[in-house]
Amino acid sequence: MSFLKLIGYDRHGEVTEVATTLNKGRLNTYGVTLAALGFNAPAWVAASSMSVLYSLVGHAAPLALLVAYFFPMLILAFCLVRLVREAPSAAGVFTYVERFLHPGMGTVLGWTYTVMAATVAPMTAVIGAEYIQALFPALGGDIQARVIGTVLMLIFFAVSLRGIELTAKVAGIFLVFEILVVSGLGLCGIFDPQVHNLSFGDLYSVKAAGGWGALGGGLLFGLWMLANFDSAINYIEEAKVPIRTVQRSLLLVLSLAFVIYSLAAVGWQYAVPVDKLAQIVEDGNGGPIAAIANVYLPHSLAWIAIFVVITSSCAGMQISINSGARTMYRMSAEGHLPGMFGKTNQFKVPFISIASVVAFGIVLVWLKPLAKIIFYYDAVTITLVLSYAAMLAAAVRLFWMKHSAGVASMLSILPVFSILVILYVGYSAGMSPGDPGDMYDAWYIGVAVVAIGTVLAFMKRKPGASVSHEALSSNAVPGDVE
């Protein structure tokens, strides 16, 4: 059996549509890739995380990204390629866990992923507001920041209601700016270095990182920076060639994010000494991006470093709104949430689900402003950990359902180790306080999310789902049994 067949890659586009009441056939691979990469939001993630990564592993920041990319993220990507073929659905983790593990667990994990996406939206709104205030100092102030965050949420609520095509186009426009700046500044450092005593070998040296133990701390941020590539799955029901489009997009988004961050992690060190980059506090001034921009751009263009973080935040916001809403839509269609969350408007958008995510986001903007940013990091990290571990477990179960014991054992080795690594990341997040009062907050948030999901799982399943589970699964092409 060929590798492509083994992972279930839909090479010839055999599946041309999946059962849905969303707007079919609107997005190609380019559109889905842009939408999902918008969720990854390279500029604001680099602005907020790169200094921390440098502080943890120093020159070896590119090595931490390399390790995170190949293990466990690429393993997860190949597992998702197979899962997408077997169960095409806009609510990936919900559908995979429901079909291959347990329906009740599907509800819990679908809810977990929804909370993750719904938390990213206000998180990006808060960050976007901070940078808008930095760009326009007259707008400064805590209440003003909340107002700006609310306005941003409402603007992209309106965009989202107009359909997925507009959402993808807006994300594409934003991404042009941030990718050019983040990776372009990295290339400037590589081709016009200002730091001349830096050995390229140190960038990928475990010894330079302080040993494997120190590199483990960098792995937490490496996973964080590469995460959310799986949001491509949320648009499968609106893709032109659903399975093949999303399978390609999953690998493209993960690989593009890795290349963008690697260029930055390498090139920025050649522009500014790494010890200085590690001490930069991200406070709305562009963080390390601004420090590199000041080296290569004239003073009149210094605003670009702040501007790209704003556009990046907005891209992440609108995609997170849509990702959470599409998970709610599919859960509603399968009877795990009330039927109203599956209703669509004239643009075939699940408008009540989108409105719910936005309303939740606005509440958090006011309750958890920038001073509480650690809450967002904890909530997103722990819910991503739970979602990713569950999807890997569903893939392992699928392997044993579709293949002989020998083949299933071989295919399960790396996913099982990936689960352990991801769970370790969750443990590390729970043990990493922003200040002493924040210790274990990630664990508490995880327990609360799972508890609420469990309550939902025990509630009576709603009859009369708009798209049946049987109709959904009938579009998948079963894998060969060996």
Side-chain angles (χ1 to χ4, degrees):
M1 178 182 289
S2 69
F3 176 72
L4 293 181
K5 191 172 183 180
L6 191 65
I7 65 172
Y9 181 66
D10 189 17
R11 181 180 180 184
H12 301 292
E14 297 168 6
V15 182
T16 56
E17 67 176 47
V18 297
T20 184
T21 57
L22 297 178
N23 210 354
K24 298 179 183 179
R26 310 311 297 179
L27 297 177
N28 55 19
T29 301
Y30 175 77
V32 174
T33 299
L34 284 181
L37 193 57
F39 200 174
N40 192 274
W44 79 256
V45 172
S48 62
S49 302
M50 197 66 81
S51 288
V52 180
L53 187 58
Y54 285 134
S55 69
L56 290 171
V57 295
H59 292 299
L63 176 62
L65 289 169
L66 182 67
V67 173
Y69 172 74
F70 281 105
F71 189 85
M73 299 307 269
L74 194 60
I75 304 302
L76 174 61
F78 280 120
C79 287
L80 292 178
V81 166
R82 181 60 186 272
L83 288 166
V84 163
R85 181 63 176 265
E86 295 292 335
S89 162
V93 63
F94 158 70
T95 301
Y96 307 148
V97 173
E98 183 200 35
R99 279 197 63 181
F100 304 120
L101 295 178
H102 188 277
M105 289 178 62
T107 302
V108 174
L109 271 301
W111 166 254
T112 299
Y113 184 88
T114 301
V115 170
M116 183 279 296
T119 305
V120 171
M123 179 184 189
T124 50
V126 165
I127 292 172
E130 174 191 16
Y131 278 85
I132 288 174
Q133 288 180 315
L135 196 59
F136 303 102
L139 298 176
D142 187 52
I143 296 298
Q144 291 90 325
R146 289 175 166 93
V147 172
I148 294 170
T150 301
V151 171
L152 289 175
M153 293 286 295
L154 292 175
I155 288 173
F156 290 101
F157 171 54
V159 172
S160 298
L161 290 180
R162 297 288 296 182
I164 193 61
E165 286 182 291
L166 179 60
T167 297
K169 288 177 181 178
V170 172
I173 294 171
F174 288 156
L175 280 168
V176 167
F177 292 106
E178 58 178 304
I179 292 175
L180 284 176
V181 172
V182 173
S183 58
L185 290 175
L187 290 172
C188 286
I190 293 171
F191 291 107
D192 183 20
Q194 305 299 306
V195 177
H196 299 286
N197 60 345
L198 177 60
S199 168
F200 186 80
D202 287 343
L203 305 183
Y204 292 93
S205 167
V206 176
K207 183 179 179 180
W212 287 106
L215 191 63
L219 186 63
L220 169 62
F221 277 84
L223 263 66
W224 159 258
M225 294 172 75
L226 295 173
N228 289 318
F229 73 94
D230 54 292
S231 63
I233 296 170
N234 300 125
Y235 306 100
I236 192 169
E237 297 182 22
E238 294 156 291
K240 291 182 178 179
V241 187
I243 293 178
R244 187 176 67 184
T245 293
V246 168
Q247 288 176 331
R248 290 176 174 178
S249 298
L250 284 167
L251 298 173
L252 280 171
V253 173
L254 176 59
S255 298
L256 285 171
F258 169 67
V259 170
I260 293 167
Y261 291 131
S262 293
L263 285 174
V266 171
W268 292 4
Q269 295 188 54
Y270 283 100
V272 176
V274 73
D275 56 340
K276 292 184 178 180
L277 291 172
Q279 296 173 5
I280 294 175
V281 178
E282 191 281 303
D283 59 0
N285 61 358
I289 296 178
I292 310 304
N294 288 336
V295 174
Y296 295 106
L297 298 179
H299 181 72
S300 60
L301 295 178
W303 58 271
I304 289 179
I306 297 176
F307 179 73
V308 296
V309 179
I310 296 172
T311 62
S312 178
S313 299
C314 291
M317 184 196 316
Q318 65 162 356
I319 301 305
S320 62
I321 290 171
N322 282 273
S323 294
R326 275 151 181 76
T327 301
M328 295 176 71
Y329 160 82
R330 176 49 57 192
M331 291 180 69
S332 173
E334 296 295 317
H336 292 250
L337 286 178
M340 65 178 181
F341 293 109
K343 293 182 178 180
T344 57
N345 63 9
Q346 60 180 319
F347 299 102
K348 296 187 177 180
V349 169
F351 65 98
I352 295 179
S353 292
I354 288 177
S356 300
V357 173
V358 171
F360 174 79
I362 291 175
V363 170
L364 280 186
V365 165
W366 285 87
L367 293 180
K368 300 290 183 179
L370 185 63
K372 301 291 185 180
I373 192 67
I374 190 65
F375 164 82
Y376 294 105
Y377 283 114
D378 286 338
V380 174
T381 300
I382 200 67
T383 48
L384 269 177
V385 162
L386 294 172
S387 298
Y388 285 172
M391 287 191 282
L392 285 164
V396 171
R397 172 60 177 155
L398 172 62
F399 296 150
W400 284 89
M401 292 171 61
K402 294 294 182 179
H403 298 287
S404 65
V407 174
S409 298
M410 178 190 69
L411 293 175
S412 300
I413 293 173
L414 290 178
V416 168
F417 276 109
S418 297
I419 291 173
L420 296 177
V421 170
I422 288 173
L423 291 178
Y424 173 75
V425 167
Y427 169 80
S428 300
M431 289 297 292
S432 301
D435 62 61
D438 291 328
M439 183 169 277
Y440 310 125
D441 276 2
W443 293 354
Y444 297 147
I445 292 169
V447 169
V449 170
V450 170
I452 295 172
T454 302
V455 171
L456 291 174
F458 277 99
M459 292 175 64
K460 185 177 179 181
R461 185 181 169 97
K462 303 297 181 182
S466 58
V467 181
S468 70
H469 179 71
E470 291 75 18
L472 169 69
S473 59
S474 66
N475 290 281
V477 179
D480 295 332
V481 178
E482 281 197 355

